[in-house]
């Protein structure tokens, strides 16, 4: 089965171990800032239409969106991934890796 997914953004809620829990920081990794890595036949790209603004045409599990950021080393993270997909295409697996730690889910 082929999945069609639009990645809009990834939100990280960072709670530093050195700070109180009520001083959480929110880091938004916007789709427009991602570096897209894919095989030569890959079609994923950032869509710039005003009603899109996402990484679209993501048809392959060989496509990776990467962001670089610096966060405190000793932190707890809550990860929220904002995606959209056409009805009937639910079920795609998604994985977020931060400093070697993985969080996975299903769209």
């Amino acid at each position: 089965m082929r999945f069609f997914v639009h990645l809009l953004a990834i939100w990280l809620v960072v709670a530093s171990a050195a700070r109180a829990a009520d001083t959480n920081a929110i880091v938004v990794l916007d789709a427009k800032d991602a570096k897209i890595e894919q095989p030569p036949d890959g079609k994923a790209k950032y869509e710039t239409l005003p009603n899109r603004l996402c990484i679209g045409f993501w048809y392959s599990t060989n496509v990776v969106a990467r962001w670089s950021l610096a966060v405190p080393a000793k932190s707890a993270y809550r990860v929220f991934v904002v995606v959209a997909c056409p009805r009937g295409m639910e079920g795609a697996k998604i994985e977020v890796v931060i400093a070697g730690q993985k969080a996975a889910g299903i769209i």
Side-chain angles (χ1 to χ4, degrees):
M1 181 176 208
R2 193 164 101 169
F3 294 100
F4 183 66
V5 176
H6 299 287
L7 176 63
L8 306 173
I10 296 178
W11 291 49
L12 301 178
V13 178
V14 181
S16 174
R19 298 190 225 163
D22 62 349
T23 60
N24 292 344
I26 296 176
V27 179
V28 178
L29 304 176
D30 198 290
K32 75 177 185 293
D33 300 322
K35 179 181 177 196
I36 301 170
E37 299 172 2
Q38 59 190 331
D41 62 342
K43 298 183 183 341
K45 65 179 182 175
Y46 180 71
E47 297 185 50
T48 58
L49 292 174
N51 65 334
R52 304 296 275 194
L53 303 178
C54 64
I55 298 172
F57 303 97
W58 195 323
Y59 299 113
S60 170
T61 57
N62 294 323
V63 175
V64 174
R66 291 191 192 275
W67 292 263
S68 294
L69 70 149
V71 294
K74 293 185 178 182
S75 296
Y77 304 95
R78 295 180 93 187
V79 179
F80 300 88
V81 180
V82 182
V83 298
C85 68
R87 189 174 306 217
M89 298 304 259
E90 304 89 349
K93 295 177 184 175
I94 189 163
E95 183 176 76
V96 177
V97 181
I98 301 170
Q101 301 233 358
K102 297 178 183 181
I106 296 176
I107 297 171

